[in-house]
Amino acid sequence: MALCTCRSSRTLWSVSMSVKAVALYTFLSENKEEINIQENEELTIFDENSLDGWYLGENSRGERGLFPKTYVEIVRTRSNSNVTDCSISPEGSLGNDSPYFPSTPNTSGQINDEDYYDDWDDWDDGSTVVDDDHTRSPGANGYAHQTPMSNNPNVHYRAKSVSGLDSMSSSRKGSMVGRNLNRFSSFVRSGVEAFVLGDVPMMAKIAESYTIEMGPLGPKWKENPNPFICSIEDPTKQTKFKGIKTYISYRVTPSHTGRPVYRRYKHFDWLYNRLLHKFTVISVPHLPEKQATGRFEEDFIEKRKRRLILWMNHMTSHPVLSQYEGFEHFLMCADDKQWKLGKRRAEKDEMVGAHFMLTLQIPNEHQDLQDVEERVDNFKTFAKKMDDSVMQLTNVASELVRKHLGGFRKEFQRLGNAFQSISQAFMLDPPHRSDGLNNAISHTGRTYENIGEMFAEQPKNDLFQMLDKLSLYQGLLANFPDIIHLQKGAFAKVKESQRMSDEGKMDQGEADGIRKRCRTVGFALQAEMSHFHERREVDFKDMMQAYLREQIAFYQRVVQQLERTLRTYDSL
């Protein structure tokens, strides 16, 4: 309905209503209502309120349609200055009403899905959700990162202060180390700057702990002592409110309990946002994207299920994420009342952002910070190249899917029709027609038509799975620039503090404290890099093997069809 409203208003578009924007990320359309946009492409948005979660606009090639809001940055020029005001930023969210908080808090994630009319009413009875306590800002690849604002009144973050120093840190000698004035920098809004500078007090009791060990290739997360896997099956269309509300429910079964729970997409979205809020230095895989139209179509439901399975596999394989109490609650709780209690407990978790850094137990081994910086730089170069390569393969595979569904299918059908035409021509002079030959040629025509249909069906067996895996890695890779920025910021504070110590402007003990806390950030980032490489090797081996097996099986079926057809000529 919203889409129709957008289209009917096209005659009302005017230059004054349009705004300019730039694409932050590449988006490939998946239905006729959407258009492709390329990273850094200039765009025109006709109506900022056209459809929840989507903009209606035009790309640089003159194509008009929908594209995701979180993939673009609106560029506005303030009337009283020459400063460009971006309403969506990869580092933070600049609302029209406040420099810190969006004008309309969204407590349940993006809402252009089946959850649009369901604001957690069936869980919280109208109670407040913790997301009101912190800013949600678009992060890497358009997915929301969240600024950790602790409920602890003794913790202050630079992201909540514009002028001067925080009251807690102003009396500290460490306050002479410069703060990052960009409050939307991931280094600031994550709380890692406050942690490195010692502005995050130790808690009296820390109930959780995550250990980093030294492995043969460097720091790594200590494995989950109770590993498990989880299945996602049986997507089922359900209704509530006497059919007014429709949604898809998935049966989620963890292996260590064997007891299924039933979850909707909004439940996954809730968990995803809790993970972003808590785990500062971990690349949390993106959830499958939402879709403006056709969300109850069979192909879309199947695609979402496949991608949720990959998302879950990555979650359960991660030594830290898999042990998160909120994740356990998501997987095990089947009682509505207990769900509410556990959900609120997770939302009140104080060990998030900067405080999460306090839960890390790092090795005693000495690491030269210059060596760590070099390792991080190497990973940064690798991640950028891999990101570009994944995008290239995604584009090639997507184009190949289109050819399978369209070009290849049509070409084989045309060839089959041409053979059929030859057979029909041979039958027009009855005294000289050869029924055996005509039937064999006609059979050949049908064979090639069948091969065309086989080509159209084949992407479901191989290319779709490849694209699913590539999509997961696009999201994981998109997170690393912000995570690497945390380490870069920490390095800078160490160098600055050491310079001030050498100049006699800071106690060496305080500079050593900054260096020690920087080591914690460095160990965590290296552990996450190590886990990424470990999973990458497993996932890409499985992806390539599965693709090649399906390709071999496909061409074997084609050969079998052709061999059977060839044998129809043997008895002539």
Side-chain angles (χ1 to χ4, degrees), residues 541-542 544-554 556:
K541 174 187 174 182
D542 290 346
M544 296 306 299
Q545 285 182 323
Y547 178 72
L548 290 171
R549 288 192 189 104
E550 289 294 338
Q551 283 282 287
I552 291 169
F554 169 68
Q556 284 176 340

Side-chain angles (χ1 to χ4, degrees), residues 130-377:
V130 74
D131 281 345
D132 290 336
D133 296 331
H134 60 269
T135 302
R136 301 184 62 210
S137 57
N141 211 18
Y143 284 77
H145 287 267
Q146 303 188 9
T147 304
M149 301 295 186
S150 173
N151 294 328
N152 188 335
N154 296 319
V155 179
H156 297 261
Y157 294 100
R158 296 302 304 166
K160 298 183 74 174
S161 173
V162 182
S163 61
L165 297 173
D166 292 325
S167 58
M168 189 177 101
S169 61
S170 59
S171 61
R172 297 172 49 88
K173 295 180 180 178
S175 65
M176 62 186 68
V177 176
R179 262 65 170 182
N180 191 332
L181 298 180
N182 179 7
R183 61 185 179 274
F184 298 116
S185 162
S186 61
F187 184 53
V188 176
R189 59 184 168 81
S190 67
V192 172
E193 181 187 52
F195 169 76
V196 170
L197 295 181
D199 288 350
V200 180
M202 287 293 295
M203 310 290 282
K205 182 180 180 181
I206 300 178
E208 58 186 307
S209 175
Y210 304 98
T211 301
I212 299 171
E213 303 175 326
M214 287 301 293
L217 299 178
K220 57 177 293 185
W221 297 113
K222 183 178 180 179
E223 292 298 331
N224 184 348
N226 301 302
F228 64 96
I229 58 175
C230 187
S231 66
I232 300 177
E233 301 170 305
D234 193 26
T236 305
K237 190 174 182 180
Q238 299 185 0
T239 61
K240 60 189 300 185
F241 305 134
K242 296 182 178 180
I244 296 176
K245 175 71 177 166
T246 305
Y247 59 91
I248 301 297
S249 174
Y250 301 87
R251 185 174 73 243
V252 179
T253 309
S255 63
H256 56 323
T257 68
R259 294 190 298 272
V261 294
Y262 294 87
R263 298 289 181 250
R264 294 163 54 183
Y265 183 87
K266 72 170 185 178
H267 301 150
F268 287 92
D269 193 48
W270 172 82
L271 174 61
Y272 173 67
N273 281 285
R274 301 274 32 98
L275 294 165
L276 287 183
H277 188 41
K278 182 176 179 69
F279 295 106
T280 308
V281 292
I282 292 177
S283 180
V284 179
H286 295 172
L287 277 178
E289 295 175 5
K290 298 182 179 180
Q291 183 166 302
T293 59
R295 61 180 180 269
F296 295 118
E297 293 178 0
E298 183 177 346
D299 287 346
F300 175 72
I301 293 172
E302 179 61 26
K303 173 184 174 182
R304 171 172 283 183
K305 186 189 81 167
R306 294 195 314 267
R307 297 196 173 189
L308 283 175
I309 290 172
L310 289 179
W311 186 85
M312 183 61 71
N313 289 344
H314 187 89
M315 289 288 298
T316 58
S317 73
H318 198 289
V320 176
L321 301 181
S322 62
Q323 297 187 70
Y324 170 48
E325 181 182 3
F327 186 36
E328 294 178 356
H329 180 65
F330 171 89
L331 292 175
M332 299 180 188
C333 184
D335 179 79
D336 288 343
K337 184 176 181 180
Q338 291 301 316
W339 172 267
K340 293 178 185 179
L341 294 175
K343 174 176 176 291
R344 291 168 184 166
R345 183 169 60 251
E347 290 166 351
K348 293 177 181 178
D349 182 7
E350 291 190 343
M351 305 310 294
V352 300
H355 278 88
F356 167 68
M357 305 302 296
L358 300 177
T359 70
L360 301 180
Q361 306 298 317
I362 65 174
N364 293 324
E365 282 89 343
H366 171 73
Q367 276 195 314
D368 184 83
L369 289 185
Q370 188 172 353
D371 292 341
V372 175
E373 188 168 14
E374 182 178 351
R375 175 178 287 195
V376 171
D377 286 341

Side-chain angles (χ1 to χ4, degrees), residues 60 64 105 113 141 234 245 247 260 284 339 404 443 481 566 568:
S60 61
R64 293 184 173 185
D113 206 283
N141 211 18
D234 193 26
K245 175 71 177 166
Y247 59 91
V284 179
W339 172 267
H404 271 267
H443 182 80
L566 177 60
T568 62

Side-chain angles (χ1 to χ4, degrees), residues 26 36 106 266 298 476:
T26 296
N36 295 336
N106 176 359
K266 72 170 185 178
E298 183 177 346
L476 289 169

Side-chain angles (χ1 to χ4, degrees), residues 320-568:
V320 176
L321 301 181
S322 62
Q323 297 187 70
Y324 170 48
E325 181 182 3
F327 186 36
E328 294 178 356
H329 180 65
F330 171 89
L331 292 175
M332 299 180 188
C333 184
D335 179 79
D336 288 343
K337 184 176 181 180
Q338 291 301 316
W339 172 267
K340 293 178 185 179
L341 294 175
K343 174 176 176 291
R344 291 168 184 166
R345 183 169 60 251
E347 290 166 351
K348 293 177 181 178
D349 182 7
E350 291 190 343
M351 305 310 294
V352 300
H355 278 88
F356 167 68
M357 305 302 296
L358 300 177
T359 70
L360 301 180
Q361 306 298 317
I362 65 174
N364 293 324
E365 282 89 343
H366 171 73
Q367 276 195 314
D368 184 83
L369 289 185
Q370 188 172 353
D371 292 341
V372 175
E373 188 168 14
E374 182 178 351
R375 175 178 287 195
V376 171
D377 286 341
N378 290 339
F379 181 83
K380 181 179 179 180
T381 302
F382 153 79
K384 177 62 171 66
K385 177 59 177 176
M386 182 177 175
D387 192 27
D388 292 342
S389 301
V390 166
M391 176 59 73
Q392 179 184 8
L393 182 54
T394 297
N395 291 337
V396 171
S398 298
E399 182 60 28
L400 193 54
V401 168
R402 294 188 182 96
K403 290 180 178 178
H404 271 267
L405 298 176
F408 293 162
R409 181 184 189 180
K410 290 179 181 177
E411 289 303 316
F412 281 108
Q413 286 177 337
R414 288 177 59 192
L415 182 58
N417 289 334
F419 286 136
Q420 294 278 17
S421 179
I422 289 289
S423 174
Q424 292 166 5
F426 285 179
M427 297 176 67
L428 294 182
D429 193 357
H432 299 280
R433 78 181 189 183
S434 171
D435 289 339
L437 178 60
N438 293 346
N439 290 338
I441 294 176
S442 178
H443 182 80
T444 303
R446 292 193 300 272
T447 296
Y448 277 95
E449 290 174 354
N450 291 337
I451 290 174
E453 294 300 325
M454 290 169 62
F455 268 92
E457 291 294 321
Q458 185 57 23
K460 295 180 181 179
N461 301 323
D462 49 31
L463 286 170
F464 285 177
Q465 282 74 15
M466 177 182 287
L467 288 168
D468 293 339
K469 187 65 65 71
L470 294 174
S471 175
L472 177 77
Y473 272 84
Q474 280 183 288
L476 289 169
L477 288 162
N479 294 333
F480 275 108
D482 271 355
I483 297 174
I484 291 172
H485 179 64
L486 305 181
Q487 179 65 73
K488 290 294 186 181
F491 281 142
K493 297 305 177 188
V494 169
K495 293 173 183 177
E496 184 180 359
S497 65
Q498 190 58 54
R499 176 181 58 79
M500 297 182 70
S501 175
D502 293 342
E503 295 173 355
K505 298 178 181 179
M506 175 186 288
D507 291 341
Q508 183 60 46
E510 189 159 9
D512 290 342
I514 292 176
R515 177 179 289 270
K516 180 180 178 181
R517 289 184 289 273
C518 178
R519 288 183 70 242
T520 299
V521 180
F523 271 110
L525 174 54
Q526 290 176 85
E528 187 61 15
M529 289 158 43
S530 176
H531 179 73
F532 179 85
H533 280 305
E534 182 181 314
R535 291 306 308 170
R536 171 184 61 83
E537 292 179 3
V538 172
D539 286 341
F540 275 77
K541 174 187 174 182
D542 290 346
M543 182 186 80
M544 296 306 299
Q545 285 182 323
Y547 178 72
L548 290 171
R549 288 192 189 104
E550 289 294 338
Q551 283 282 287
I552 291 169
F554 169 68
Y555 285 108
Q556 284 176 340
R557 292 195 298 273
V558 171
V559 168
Q560 289 168 2
Q561 289 257 3
L562 294 173
E563 287 178 338
R564 284 196 296 268
T565 302
L566 177 60
R567 287 195 292 270
T568 62

